[in-house]
Amino acid sequence: EPVMLPSYEEICNNKKAYAKSFHIQYLNTDHFNAKTLVEPYQGWYVVQNRPNRPLKQREFDRAYSYDYNRDSHPSYKQHVPAIDEVKFSLISNRGCFGSCNFCALAFHQGRIVQARSHESIISEASKMVWDPEFKGYIHDVGGPTANFRSLSCDKQIKHGLCKAKKCLAPTPCKLLKVDHSEYLHMLRKLRAVPKVKKVFIRSGIRYDYLMQDTDESFFKELVQHHVSGQLKVAPEHCSANVLDHMGKPHIEAYK
C-alpha cells in the first residue's frame, strides 16, 4: 500500500506541496510503521522503499571489525585536513530519537538508536593506538548524539517511535528512559587502554536529556575527563515560536 507523494512538477512550483511531501517522508522513516513512498516524475515514478530494520548489535560490530585504513583515499595527492578530526575518533552509535525538524539524521540513520558493544569499541581503540600518528588522544566517542546509547523507551522494541510526537520536545516524554551508566562504563574502559592519554567527546550532547538523569556521575566525569577545552551545547534559538518549529525545547531548558 504505497503512499503517493506530490509530483516532482508540483513540488518544483509550489512551496506548500514541497513542505507536504517532506512531512510525509518525515513520518515514514521508521522501519516499524513506514510505507513505501512513490513520487510521480515526468511520466515515471520514483519509488522509495521502506527503511531497513535497525542493525542488531552483532551486525553493527561486524561492520566495524574490518581492517580499515583509517585514512583519506590514496587518490588524493595532498593531505586532506578533514581527516585529522575523524581519524582517531570512534563511532559508538547510530540513529537519533531527538528528530529535530531541521536535521537530516532521521533520514540517514533513523530514529531508533543502535549501539556497538564495549568489546567492539575497545578492540578498535586497541588497534588505533599503534598508528604511528597516534599521539594518545581519542578525539571523539559518539555518533549523531553522543549520549544516546539505547532506545528512548521500551515501546519502540515492538512498535517503533511515535509518529507525531518527539521524545524530548517541547518537554521530555514521561516514558523517556534516561541512563548514562552504560556509556560511562565504556568511557572508563577506554581511558584504561594502554597508550591512551585522553578520551574526548566532541559529538553533540543533548543537555536536556542529560539533565533528566538523577545520577550526576556521567556529568561529573564528562567535565573532568572528556572535555577538550570547551563543551559545546546548542541552545539553537531564543524564540519559543522558532524553537517549536525546529522541534527543540524552549530556551528555559538551556538556561
Side-chain angles (χ1 to χ4, degrees):
E1 298 179 6
V3 174
M4 294 297 293
L5 300 170
S7 70
Y8 173 76
E9 291 76 16
E10 285 182 88
I11 63 174
C12 284
N13 297 305
N14 187 311
K15 289 182 179 180
K16 287 189 175 180
Y18 179 88
K20 178 183 177 182
S21 179
F22 181 87
H23 182 65
I24 295 172
Q25 293 171 52
Y26 202 81
L27 295 178
N28 285 275
T29 57
D30 194 326
H31 161 77
F32 288 92
N33 49 41
K35 299 285 187 180
T36 298
L37 304 177
V38 179
E39 179 185 289
Y41 176 82
Q42 298 180 352
W44 296 73
Y45 293 97
V46 177
V47 178
Q48 171 65 56
N49 292 325
R50 294 174 61 236
N52 288 332
R53 62 167 175 78
L55 292 174
K56 296 178 180 178
Q57 190 170 77
R58 60 180 174 79
E59 295 169 329
F60 199 5
D61 287 354
R62 182 180 177 186
Y64 281 88
S65 67
Y66 301 111
D67 289 325
Y68 298 107
N69 284 343
R70 309 191 69 86
D71 208 344
S72 51
H73 195 274
S75 63
Y76 293 101
K77 304 303 180 186
Q78 296 179 328
H79 175 69
V80 181
I83 198 70
D84 295 338
E85 279 299 305
V86 298
K87 183 171 183 177
F88 299 119
S89 295
L90 297 168
I91 296 293
S92 71
N93 59 44
R94 64 180 281 120
C96 181
F97 54 74
S99 55
C100 306
N101 295 339
F102 57 88
C103 182
L105 280 166
F107 289 90
H108 296 166
Q109 300 188 10
R111 296 171 62 197
I112 295 176
V113 173
Q114 302 135 76
R116 289 170 66 188
S117 69
H118 291 195
E119 292 75 18
S120 172
I121 292 171
I122 300 301
S123 174
E124 185 179 356
S126 299
K127 294 176 184 177
M128 181 192 299
V129 300
W130 294 103
D131 189 301
E133 296 182 12
F134 184 73
K135 305 299 183 184
Y137 301 97
I138 295 177
H139 292 162
D140 187 25
V141 186
T145 301
N147 56 332
F148 289 175
R149 282 277 300 171
S150 61
L151 302 178
S152 60
C153 73
D154 293 330
K155 183 182 79 68
Q156 295 167 43
I157 298 172
K158 290 186 178 180
H159 305 289
L161 284 93
C162 302
K163 267 197 170 188
K165 295 180 181 178
K166 298 183 183 296
C167 301
L168 285 163
T171 57
C173 176
K174 293 179 180 178
L175 297 179
L176 183 67
K177 293 170 57 179
V178 183
D179 186 358
H180 291 87
S181 58
E182 183 267 346
Y183 186 36
L184 179 57
H185 188 44
M186 180 184 69
L187 292 169
R188 288 170 177 167
K189 289 180 181 178
L190 281 172
R191 298 202 307 256
V193 172
K195 296 182 179 289
V196 171
K197 298 176 182 176
K198 285 284 186 180
V199 179
F200 295 128
I201 299 173
R202 290 176 175 168
S203 296
I205 282 182
R206 283 296 292 251
Y207 61 88
D208 48 341
Y209 176 79
L210 174 57
M211 289 190 298
Q212 298 299 311
D213 196 342
T214 55
D215 183 350
E216 293 191 351
S217 300
F218 170 71
F219 178 65
K220 289 179 178 178
E221 293 197 29
L222 169 70
V223 174
Q224 184 177 1
H225 297 289
H226 304 291
V227 178
S228 58
Q230 292 178 325
L231 176 65
K232 296 182 286 291
V233 296
E236 308 289 6
H237 210 280
C238 59
S239 164
N241 183 45
V242 173
L243 288 164
D244 284 340
H245 282 85
M246 295 172 80
K248 300 290 286 189
H250 289 179
I251 192 67
E252 287 74 18
Y254 174 72
K255 290 179 177 178

